[in-house]
Amino acid sequence: MSRLIVGPFNRVEGDLEVQLDVVDGSVRSAHVNAPMYRGFEQILQQKHPFDAMVYVPRICGICSVSQSVAAARALADAMQVAPPPNGLIVTNLMLAAENLADHLSHFYLFFMPDFARPVYAGLPWHAQVRQRFAAQQGEHARQAIAARQRWFTLLGTLGGKWPHTQSIHPGGSARAIDASERVRMLARIREFRAFLERTLFAAPLEQIAALDNEEALRAWHASAPPDHGDFRLFLTIAQDAGLDRLGQGPGLYLSYGAYPQHDATMRFAPGVWDAAQKAITPLDTAAIEEDATRAWLSDQGGPRHPREGLTLPTPDKPDAYTWNKAPRLGGRVLETGALARQLVNGHPLVRDAAARCGGTVYSRVLARLLELALVVPAMEKWLGAVRIGDPYFTESPLPDHAEGTGLTEAARGSLGHWIAIRDGKILNYQIVAPTSWNFSPRDAQGVPGALEAALVGAPVREGEDTPVAVQHIVRSFDPCMVCTVH
């Protein structure tokens, strides 16, 4: 047996190391280390509850709207206030703008450049991948950066700036829009649509969203040259590289539900998808616990629900190896992210792909790209539903004693905030981020987290010190380590 320490990883947000035990050319076991401690949960204690709206967006530079939305919902729950329809719509627009930008960045800047590596030289698509996606040089990657920059002007209009947007509040949004701004934003959304339809999909978004099984996807793939559009090129690579056999997930998938509507429905439904049972179970947030057994954090009292969560650094703790706790749902390991959202929401293509190969590198990236095709048309409709002149915000007093829970879906998956207010100050604030779930360490029973298990069996080529298969698996989860070690 040999041991590899892979890290720090480039092209991920934050610091990450992975320890691999390798036997006979494949990974036998893995330990995932989030090596940085940040302490936002401690910083927030004894602050004014509204201070959370300033602090928590700064947990992360790429997930700041997601953190703001979760914090606003936790405070809204504590205050028993709901935003008016306009406030709900513009919050959804801001969150969707950030989430889709993250999906675009993941594909063009984080994931696809790995296929330009010399290990793939000689394969028929390698030259095309280098031309399109090579780090800092790829033509399509540079186009994606430009499209992303222009896309973010939506958040300039709706939120004043990005990151760390300050217009999101418990009662809705502090920023109303006028009719001319709506026209300009619709033009920007359609410009982004044009980039996706021209460069990424080489097809209308509605055509991609309507693909309802893998047979239809294969027929669509075969209807044009294998590099016609970047999505088609990805499918070509996925088949050649066996991405549908890499990085098997735990088979249990969590979504808090995304983009709530004024009729109390959600664009993407909440729930838990159990692949073994092929069934959705209702979301029971009371079953969430965080296990700190293998974290450099106190595990006093054993696993705790976030409402009673404890964040107390214990850097010399024996047998610990990360600053990340191990979240569990009813004691079980799960995965969250775009794949989970689409499995829970019942998209037929994603359900069909996962039924064949499970949660893998291929199915995770497939679901992420599919969300681009699903959400952009939804944003066009939401923007049209804004009623110019109607309120965006509902005022409500802040109680001196209250508790609240705020749940949302970031690009990378389920994000939850829990706040306890006593005597008008924050008594406790706990956050469980998407990568906290996906990159969790072993729990008290020794059960590895989703990534740790997904890495088992990954091939390691002779002489590799940063195995390319490991890179693909890690990046398929699109980790955000700074959110993880909040």
Side-chain angles (χ1 to χ4, degrees):
M1 183 182 77
S2 61
R3 177 162 291 175
L4 283 176
I5 305 294
V6 183
F9 276 70
N10 61 4
R11 285 181 281 120
V12 302
E13 178 73 359
D15 298 299
L16 170 66
E17 293 180 355
V18 178
Q19 176 183 297
L20 305 172
D21 292 335
V22 180
V23 177
D24 296 330
S26 68
V27 175
R28 174 70 60 85
S29 69
H31 291 72
V32 177
N33 175 16
M36 179 173 62
Y37 177 74
R38 302 181 72 212
F40 273 80
E41 292 167 333
Q42 289 181 305
I43 293 169
L44 286 166
Q45 291 176 5
Q46 295 306 308
K47 298 291 191 298
H48 191 282
F50 284 164
D51 285 356
M53 298 305 305
V54 177
Y55 280 93
V56 300
R58 287 160 175 81
I59 289 171
C60 180
I62 60 174
C63 309
S64 68
V65 171
S66 303
Q67 298 288 355
S68 292
V69 169
R73 290 179 182 168
L75 285 164
D77 187 35
M79 297 161 65
Q80 293 297 289
V81 63
N86 276 355
L88 201 61
I89 290 170
V90 297
T91 300
N92 283 340
L93 286 168
M94 285 188 276
L95 181 59
E98 181 177 85
N99 285 353
L100 297 194
D102 283 356
H103 287 346
L104 193 76
S105 299
H106 173 264
F107 183 74
Y108 280 100
L109 305 181
F110 301 163
F111 183 74
M112 291 302 289
D114 280 330
F115 296 96
R117 290 170 178 251
V119 69
Y120 290 117
L123 290 170
W125 39 260
H126 185 257
Q128 191 64 248
V129 168
R130 284 189 55 81
Q131 180 180 344
R132 296 185 191 184
F133 305 115
Q136 302 182 25
Q137 299 174 6
E139 294 175 0
H140 288 193
R142 294 172 71 88
Q143 292 174 25
I145 291 171
R148 181 180 183 269
Q149 185 275 327
R150 292 179 65 79
W151 176 246
F152 270 134
T153 62
L154 291 173
L155 282 169
T157 300
L158 292 170
K161 63 171 186 168
W162 183 89
H164 318 322
T165 302
Q166 293 296 306
S167 66
I168 297 169
H169 289 276
S173 172
R175 175 65 165 86
I177 60 172
D178 60 32
S180 63
E181 288 173 324
R182 174 161 61 184
V183 171
R184 289 196 295 272
M185 286 192 290
L186 183 59
R188 188 66 75 228
I189 292 173
R190 288 178 175 165
E191 180 184 332
F192 190 67
R193 171 194 274 267
F195 170 79
L196 298 177
E197 293 183 337
R198 179 183 65 250
T199 304
L200 177 56
F201 294 116
L205 299 187
E206 288 78 7
Q207 182 182 4
I208 301 301
L211 294 169
D212 57 2
N213 55 48
E214 285 202 294
E215 182 179 355
L217 181 65
R218 286 190 292 270
W220 178 84
H221 177 262
S223 66
D227 59 356
H228 184 59
D230 296 332
F231 179 47
R232 194 175 262 108
L233 179 57
F234 161 71
L235 295 173
T236 302
I237 293 168
Q239 182 176 348
D240 287 353
L243 300 186
D244 59 349
R245 300 189 299 275
L246 278 181
Q248 189 64 237
L252 196 67
Y253 301 90
L254 168 69
S255 173
Y256 288 153
Y259 312 120
Q261 306 298 299
H262 65 86
D263 62 358
T265 63
M266 290 194 174
R267 178 61 184 86
F268 299 139
V272 178
W273 173 256
D274 189 325
Q277 302 296 324
K278 297 182 180 179
I280 296 174
T281 57
L283 175 61
D284 179 11
T285 58
I288 297 172
E289 289 184 325
E290 291 188 288
D291 186 326
T293 302
R294 305 304 296 274
W296 289 305
L297 299 164
S298 172
D299 57 0
Q300 177 185 345
R304 293 169 176 252
H305 188 277
R307 275 195 307 272
E308 290 82 39
L310 177 66
T311 302
L312 183 62
T314 312
D316 298 322
K317 183 177 173 182
D319 299 323
Y321 60 89
T322 181
W323 287 107
N324 185 23
K325 300 175 188 176
R328 298 291 186 262
L329 183 68
R332 299 179 68 185
V333 175
L334 54 77
E335 177 177 337
T336 189
L339 174 61
R341 278 192 294 273
Q342 297 313 315
L343 286 170
V344 171
N345 200 56
H347 194 283
L349 172 59
V350 176
R351 287 262 184 102
D352 191 46
R356 177 181 65 83
C357 66
T360 60
V361 173
Y362 156 72
S363 55
R364 290 182 194 108
V365 177
L366 175 66
R368 200 171 283 118
L369 295 179
L370 180 65
E371 284 198 348
L372 283 161
L374 290 168
V375 176
V376 167
M379 292 177 71
E380 293 169 340
K381 293 178 181 177
W382 297 340
L383 191 56
V386 171
R387 297 178 65 90
I388 304 299
D390 280 7
Y392 291 72
F393 181 78
T394 302
E395 288 196 51
S396 180
L398 178 71
D400 287 337
H401 303 275
E403 294 184 353
T405 301
L407 307 178
T408 190
E409 283 290 311
R412 291 156 185 83
S414 301
L415 170 64
H417 287 207
W418 286 261
I419 188 172
I421 301 169
R422 297 292 183 273
D423 298 320
K425 301 289 186 180
I426 296 174
L427 175 69
N428 197 14
Y429 203 106
Q430 292 290 310
I431 301 167
V432 183
T435 308
S436 303
W437 290 100
N438 291 335
F439 282 28
S440 75
R442 283 156 170 77
D443 55 27
Q445 285 70 46
V447 179
L451 174 63
E452 292 183 334
L455 288 168
V456 173
V460 178
R461 302 168 190 244
E462 184 72 27
E464 280 189 315
D465 55 5
T466 56
V468 68
V470 169
Q471 300 275 334
H472 294 331
I473 294 167
V474 168
R475 293 194 210 289
S476 74
F477 287 92
D478 190 16
C480 182
M481 303 309 298
V482 295
C483 283
T484 303
V485 294
H486 49 267

